[in-house]
Amino acid sequence: MKLEERTVAEYHGRPVKFFDLENGHGLRVRLMNYGATLISLHIPDRTGRLEDITLGFDSFEDYLGNNPYFGATVGRYANRIGGARFVLGGQEYLLARNEGPNHLHGGLKGFDKVMWEAGPVSDSRSVGVRFNYLSPDGDEGYPGNLDCQVTYLLNENDELHLAYLATTDRPTHVNLSHHSYFNLAGSRKDNILEHELQIMASRFTPADERLIPTGEIKEVAGTPLDFLKPRSIGQRLKELPAGYDHNFILDSRGELALAARVVEPESGRVMELYTTEPGLQFYSGNFLDGTIRGKGGRPYGRHSAFCLEPQHFPDSPNKPQFPSTVLKPGEIYKSLTVFKFLTV
Ligand code: GLA
């Protein structure tokens, strides 16, 4: 197991650091303290050829420009809060509006755009980085000083663990997630339509045209959202003009369980996602339109990658029937997501 750390730039007087992790099988992960971001992830195909399977940029500076959350840690609230407001303890809180009238991924300066404290962590079978960030009371409109910790750990079972902890000094809402864009074909293909996807979810939360849940819960059966049996992402994509951007209600119940499995048939790369979260946003890279040039100058077009974001349901602060995202003083917010890599 290897861990290397280097300073690549300065941002508001603080060192921007890249952390390179490597396990005994050659899997490599690059992380950065800006946004507690995953920059790259090299995994082998069935012949052992290592390739980066995530979208992003080569240099830190590019992350400051047009960047749709590539590899970022999203918070305080991943996904949307309708009307950018909620009422908690009888008081109304107005949040930053950064998507029309709504609040998306923590606001104008969410956790993806702040500098985290960072330090290496390791044990006999894993290496990683622990990131800490203290979000001040009133940050983007949220109440309470929120003390957050995200730990990435790469182990010898070819798993990348993402463990989240948070505490607060006033009641608030928290919903942290990870926003990597994956293309398991690496550089071989510029779209993910042939990836075979399985999502362990029988139900989803229907949403309006601005992607705010209506509050209903529906079965995926008979819809293009039925991924209970593996099938290609492209198979029924045409039935959804806006593409996939939906919150799936996972069938698991709070314990760490398999939420999704993705197979890229040509390379043989497989990614399994396990999470303790109740929901999973599956996004098929619909807003990518080729204007962003990423690693190696490559233009990122529509459907060039997919995101699977483990999280609580969108707009939970305004939907009392959804699992609660309230965190109170004295409680500990805890969440765990595991990406496991293998080949077939
Ligand atoms: C999430 C959202 C999408 C989009 C992307 C970022 O996946 O659900 O609608 O906002 O983030 O572009």
Side-chain angles (χ1 to χ4, degrees):
M1 311 280 318
K2 271 193 249 169
L3 172 72
E4 273 172 28
E5 174 181 339
R6 68 195 161 94
T7 299
V8 297
E10 226 183 65
Y11 183 65
H12 294 306
R14 292 175 59 187
V16 177
K17 289 183 180 176
F18 281 5
F19 296 87
D20 288 322
L21 319 176
E22 188 174 337
N23 78 1
H25 306 133
L27 271 80
R28 297 205 306 269
V29 182
R30 173 167 291 174
L31 305 170
M32 147 172 93
N33 52 351
Y34 176 79
T37 300
L38 184 151
I39 292 184
S40 62
L41 180 52
H42 285 76
I43 65 162
D45 67 6
R46 66 163 75 84
T47 69
R49 187 164 154 242
L50 286 164
E51 262 203 303
D52 185 7
I53 56 144
T54 63
L55 267 49
F57 300 107
D58 294 316
S59 78
F60 156 68
E61 286 74 19
D62 288 334
Y63 281 88
L64 302 173
N66 184 5
N67 169 14
Y69 308 92
F70 286 147
T73 296
V74 273
R76 290 189 187 192
Y77 199 98
N79 218 314
R80 296 168 177 82
I81 298 178
R85 62 170 289 283
F86 59 77
V87 175
L88 187 59
Q91 198 178 324
E92 182 180 47
Y93 293 95
L94 301 177
L95 308 173
R97 296 180 168 204
N98 60 326
E99 195 184 54
N102 302 324
H103 179 84
L104 171 69
H105 291 333
L108 295 165
K109 193 170 174 156
F111 289 2
D112 58 300
K113 296 181 186 65
V114 301
M115 291 291 282
W116 294 64
E117 299 291 331
V121 284
S122 62
D123 58 37
S124 59
R125 286 192 58 78
S126 43
V127 282
V129 180
R130 177 158 294 154
F131 296 100
N132 287 284
Y133 179 63
L134 180 66
S135 167
D137 186 30
D139 197 7
E140 299 294 309
Y142 290 95
N145 290 294
L146 187 73
D147 205 342
C148 299
Q149 186 180 91
V150 182
T151 307
Y152 289 72
L153 275 179
L154 175 68
N155 69 23
E156 292 294 15
N157 299 328
D158 298 345
E159 294 166 353
L160 181 64
H161 287 230
L162 278 68
Y164 301 83
L165 289 176
T167 54
T168 183
D169 57 5
R170 284 176 64 197
T172 191
H173 283 283
V174 193
N175 181 29
L176 305 176
S177 191
H178 179 74
H179 210 300
S180 274
Y181 286 68
F182 299 100
N183 182 337
L184 303 184
S187 61
R188 276 187 227 214
K189 235 180 232 160
D190 59 9
N191 73 73
I192 43 79
L193 303 183
E194 280 154 44
H195 284 54
E196 282 159 21
L197 171 66
Q198 184 175 19
I199 302 180
M200 284 52 187
S202 314
R203 297 173 303 156
F204 72 107
T205 54
D208 67 17
E209 65 286 347
R210 285 189 178 272
L211 300 177
I212 303 298
T214 59
E216 301 153 274
I217 286 177
K218 281 198 178 145
E219 300 278 325
V220 296
T223 79
L225 302 189
D226 187 350
F227 285 100
L228 284 163
K229 293 204 184 81
R231 60 184 177 80
S232 76
I233 292 176
Q235 192 186 53
R236 297 189 66 176
L237 185 63
K238 277 184 229 68
E239 296 171 52
L240 301 166
Y244 289 102
D245 200 351
H246 295 81
N247 172 57
F248 290 75
I249 301 179
L250 295 170
D251 290 338
S252 56
R253 290 182 191 278
E255 75 285 16
L256 186 70
L258 183 65
R261 190 165 197 270
V262 191
V263 179
E264 201 288 301
E266 259 183 60
S267 64
R269 292 195 181 96
V270 179
M271 182 174 88
E272 291 177 347
L273 188 161
Y274 299 78
T275 188
T276 55
E277 285 298 307
L280 186 71
Q281 185 85 7
F282 166 45
Y283 169 60
S284 56
N286 317 315
F287 299 131
L288 299 172
D289 60 6
T291 52
I292 297 178
R293 286 182 180 271
K295 296 169 186 169
R298 188 169 157 189
Y300 292 145
R302 198 158 200 243
H303 310 312
S304 56
F306 65 88
C307 300
L308 288 171
E309 306 154 47
Q311 52 187 239
H312 271 59
F313 307 169
D315 203 30
S316 300
N318 296 305
K319 298 283 185 316
Q321 68 272 41
F322 288 174
S324 172
T325 50
V326 174
L327 182 71
K328 296 187 184 131
E331 294 175 348
I332 300 179
Y333 169 95
K334 253 191 189 173
S335 172
L336 177 64
T337 288
V338 175
F339 294 100
K340 182 174 175 63
F341 299 100
L342 45 153
T343 55
V344 284

